[in-house]
Amino acid sequence: MPHDLRRQTADILALKYLTIEMAEPAMAWGWALVDGEKYSDGIWALTALQPPYYWSEIVDLVSQIAREQGLAEPQSQDEATAWLAYGHLDDIVASGGEDFHALKLVSRLWFDHETPSLLVFNTLKHAIREVEASGTQGHMEGLTQDNWKTMLVDTCRSWLAAHTRPDPFGAV
């Protein structure tokens, strides 16, 4: 199973759980499932949709695909936000701390859903913005202009090590 398809699947199922708009990513996911040689009535129905996309239609088809494919899904809001965060934090590590957009997305997950384990990333985002703007910050002890990328990557690695990578295909 390609890593990208696992991530796309985890992200779509988490977005569904959190009722976050997902029409465009769901369409791309449907085609990625076909490319990954995963087939079912729900997948064919999803890939056959034409715009405009309707929330209820997309959610129903994603739910159908999850049932047909035997996919594990997040069982709580905290689990769904962790599934989304995992991919974004992995992106930050892969970029060496350069993917600030991914940090903003994880911070937003904390802001919108208050998942306790994600609070540190909201704090980091504010500390980094402040230290980059003024040279100093008062949010995180020891964070400076010279070391914030290292601190960010280390914090992401610690979080990733403490949380299981979402695997909707393998957890069932």
Side-chain angles (χ1 to χ4, degrees):
M1 177 70 45
H3 172 72
D4 290 342
L5 184 55
R6 286 186 195 282
R7 172 152 179 207
Q8 274 184 290
T9 303
D11 286 356
I12 290 298
L13 295 173
L15 291 170
K16 179 180 86 78
Y17 188 94
L18 297 170
T19 65
I20 296 173
E21 174 55 40
M22 62 174 182
E24 295 298 326
M27 297 304 295
W29 172 65
W31 286 109
L33 288 167
V34 170
D35 290 345
E37 299 182 359
K38 298 279 187 185
Y39 308 112
S40 71
D41 291 342
I43 294 168
W44 294 125
L46 178 65
T47 57
L49 289 178
Q50 297 294 312
Y53 304 118
Y54 299 98
W55 170 255
S56 60
E57 189 174 39
I58 296 288
V59 168
D60 288 348
L61 287 171
V62 169
S63 294
Q64 179 181 340
I65 293 165
R67 281 189 310 276
E68 291 170 344
Q69 295 292 316
L71 302 175
E73 297 188 63
Q75 298 299 304
S76 69
Q77 177 177 282
D78 285 353
E79 186 177 12
T81 58
W83 281 29
L84 285 172
Y86 201 100
H88 298 315
L89 297 174
D90 206 27
D91 291 344
I92 293 168
V93 170
S95 74
E98 295 286 336
D99 192 344
F100 197 77
H101 178 71
L103 177 60
K104 290 192 302 187
L105 292 172
V106 175
S107 173
R108 187 66 199 205
L109 285 170
W110 178 84
F111 185 81
D112 289 345
H113 305 285
E114 296 185 357
T115 304
S117 72
L118 301 179
L119 174 59
V120 67
F121 299 105
N122 184 60
T123 305
L124 266 168
K125 179 191 77 173
H126 290 292
I128 292 166
R129 282 185 171 162
E130 192 174 315
V131 79
E132 283 294 298
S134 68
T136 62
Q137 58 82 32
H139 300 278
M140 295 201 77
E141 187 175 327
L143 187 134
T144 67
Q145 281 182 325
D146 293 332
N147 74 358
W148 71 259
K149 288 179 188 172
T150 301
M151 284 187 73
L152 173 59
V153 168
D154 289 348
T155 304
C156 291
R157 283 188 177 130
S158 293
W159 190 96
L160 292 168
H163 294 82
T164 303
R165 178 180 298 277
D167 186 2
F169 294 100
V172 291

